[in-house]
Amino acid sequence: MGKSKVYWTDMRTSVHENLPQKLARLIKTAGIESIDFHNKFTAIKIHFGEPGNLAFLRPNYAKVVADTVRELGGEPFLTDCNTLYVGRRKNAIDHLNAAYENGFSPFSTGCHVIIGDGLKGTDEAYVPVEGGEYVKEAKIGQAIMDADVIISLNHFKGHECTGFGGALKNLGMGCGSRAGKMEMHSAGKPYVDADTCIACGECQQNCAHDAITITEAAQIDHTKCVGCGRCLGVCPTNAVNPASDESNDVLNYKIAEYTKAAINGRPSFHISLVIDVSPNCDCHSENDAPIVPDIGMFASFDPVALDVACADAVNGAPMTHHYHREEESDHFDSVHPTTNWCTAVEHAEKLGIGTQEYDLIRI
């Protein structure tokens, strides 16, 4: 595999071209028009941001992508899957309310918002992972798998578990259903918080493997549990929780394998905005100051090359004084020393998703 092309532009504007117009020019120069969008359902995978966080991408950028897809004959929709943790995006109703609160609506973006894994995060497709070492069958949101084309629109930022969040994280973790997210974060065996459980029996009724018994609280037999995650979706008090028992490296490997499941066999295109590079994920209900100044907008058909190009750009930028450690050359390691972002891109390259070698083309 030869070098992949990654296109980049900075955030400078003029009286002749604003940032939305510049983004449109970037993605067209990068070749998005070569995709056959005619009458094709197109999933634009984005993070709507946890309310309280202000680092997420503004909906204006999503409108540029949606408008471009529509100009090319496609039927775009914005999408994300429900979160594993308890917050404002753990079911489709709360998730839509959060998206609208943060400005993502048909009126602001020109396309509809569809939560990929349904009302309770249990609407999923089982997708084989060719060459998967850790995941043989990924659990991907059904609406995302029903799309004909997938575009990832990523806010590139730091991440406390994976080093950074870019195209692979947005696609792999983001396209996983709640059970899929549990599989990536753990060996797939949830547990019950007895103090929160009300012994209502909803989890037991929805368990197809007779793994749950009810006494004073629900109990899960891990010898019978297959990690389907249905109990997480139906619990009315959020008493069922995933175990976070995988290393960060294994988490990154699984994210790469989920990414392959999400994009394999259909056209895909990838866009990353390296702006407001917060130290943590947009899943936080807060965001700290950026770790580097704004760098620009990147686009490529190769999500691996795109992630590496964005990481290289961040590491080549001056770090803010608050985070700077003189001995560190990798900014993500400076912020989260227990992570290693290289494991995700290395595994993704091994799976044939893309290459770490790239030519950076400035427009």
Side-chain angles (χ1 to χ4, degrees):
M1 181 181 292
K3 291 184 178 181
S4 291
K5 294 180 179 179
V6 177
Y7 293 80
W8 166 68
T9 188
D10 60 29
M11 303 300 287
R12 300 298 301 274
T13 62
S14 70
V15 294
H16 304 292
E17 186 179 54
N18 58 34
L19 283 175
Q21 292 167 335
K22 201 171 190 182
L23 176 58
R25 180 163 64 91
L26 171 72
I27 62 178
K28 289 178 179 178
T29 303
I32 195 171
E33 293 173 308
S34 67
I35 297 174
D36 177 13
F37 286 103
H38 186 64
N39 292 333
K40 300 288 180 31
F41 290 116
T42 302
I44 302 173
K45 173 60 185 72
I46 193 170
H47 195 304
F48 298 117
E50 189 73 14
N53 187 304
L54 297 179
F56 63 90
L57 294 183
R58 294 187 182 192
N60 309 67
Y61 296 115
K63 187 177 190 304
V64 170
V65 180
D67 286 349
T68 301
V69 170
R70 187 172 287 105
E71 288 170 10
L72 297 171
E75 294 286 346
F77 64 95
L78 301 180
T79 190
D80 196 5
C81 286
N82 292 305
T83 59
L84 183 59
Y85 61 86
V86 177
R88 290 282 305 278
R89 297 176 299 117
K90 64 182 174 59
N91 63 66
I93 301 300
D94 290 346
H95 206 155
L96 285 170
N97 286 335
Y100 292 159
E101 183 177 319
N102 283 342
F104 294 93
S105 76
F107 308 105
S108 59
T109 64
C111 69
H112 286 284
V113 176
I114 298 175
I115 303 306
D117 58 344
L119 181 62
K120 295 182 178 180
T122 57
D123 188 5
E124 60 202 3
Y126 292 84
V127 184
V129 182
E130 183 181 348
E133 297 179 27
Y134 298 86
V135 178
K136 300 304 179 183
E137 197 173 54
K139 305 174 182 73
I140 306 293
Q142 185 66 61
I144 294 174
M145 289 310 301
D146 284 342
D148 303 300
V149 181
I150 185 166
I151 296 174
S152 60
L153 177 57
N154 321 295
H155 172 220
F156 194 87
K157 67 280 183 186
H159 195 280
E160 56 276 22
C161 295
T162 61
F164 67 69
L168 296 176
K169 177 72 164 50
N170 185 39
L171 288 163
M173 183 62 70
C175 289
S177 65
R178 293 194 82 195
K181 289 180 172 65
M182 180 173 68
E183 180 176 36
M184 284 180 272
H185 277 289
S186 72
K189 308 293 185 180
Y191 69 94
V192 176
D193 180 355
D195 292 334
T196 308
C197 178
I198 59 174
C200 67
E202 284 290 327
C203 56
Q204 185 182 45
Q205 293 174 28
N206 282 273
C207 180
H209 303 278
D210 196 29
I212 301 176
T213 56
I214 306 291
T215 52
E216 294 182 358
Q219 295 179 317
I220 300 174
D221 183 346
H222 284 179
T223 64
K224 296 180 179 179
C225 174
V226 298
C228 71
R230 298 290 173 187
C231 51
L232 278 81
V234 300
C235 181
T237 62
N238 299 304
V240 185
N241 299 286
S244 295
D245 57 3
E246 293 287 29
S247 70
N248 287 335
D249 284 352
V250 173
L251 172 63
N252 267 335
Y253 298 148
K254 289 182 176 181
I255 285 172
E257 294 184 2
Y258 261 71
T259 298
K260 181 166 186 176
I263 67 175
N264 199 37
R266 57 179 167 171
S268 64
F269 187 78
H270 313 282
I271 308 157
S272 286
L273 274 63
V274 188
I275 59 176
D276 294 320
V277 185
S278 51
N280 295 320
C281 182
D282 292 344
C283 291
H284 284 241
S285 59
E286 84 292 328
N287 60 279
D288 204 349
I291 64 174
V292 293
D294 289 351
I295 292 173
M297 302 182 283
F298 296 71
S300 179
F301 282 99
D302 184 337
V304 179
L306 181 65
D307 271 0
V308 175
C310 292
D312 288 346
V314 169
N315 282 326
M319 203 172 194
T320 58
H321 176 73
H322 177 67
Y323 296 105
H324 181 64
R325 291 190 354 207
E326 200 68 49
E327 70 277 12
E328 294 288 353
S329 59
D330 190 306
H331 296 344
F332 304 107
D333 186 63
S334 294
V335 179
H336 298 296
T338 62
T339 65
N340 179 12
W341 60 266
C342 296
T343 55
V345 296
E346 288 169 356
H347 196 60
E349 185 176 45
K350 181 180 177 181
L351 291 166
I353 297 172
T355 175
Q356 297 184 65
E357 298 297 321
Y358 64 92
D359 288 320
L360 188 62
I361 302 167
R362 181 172 186 173
I363 73 160

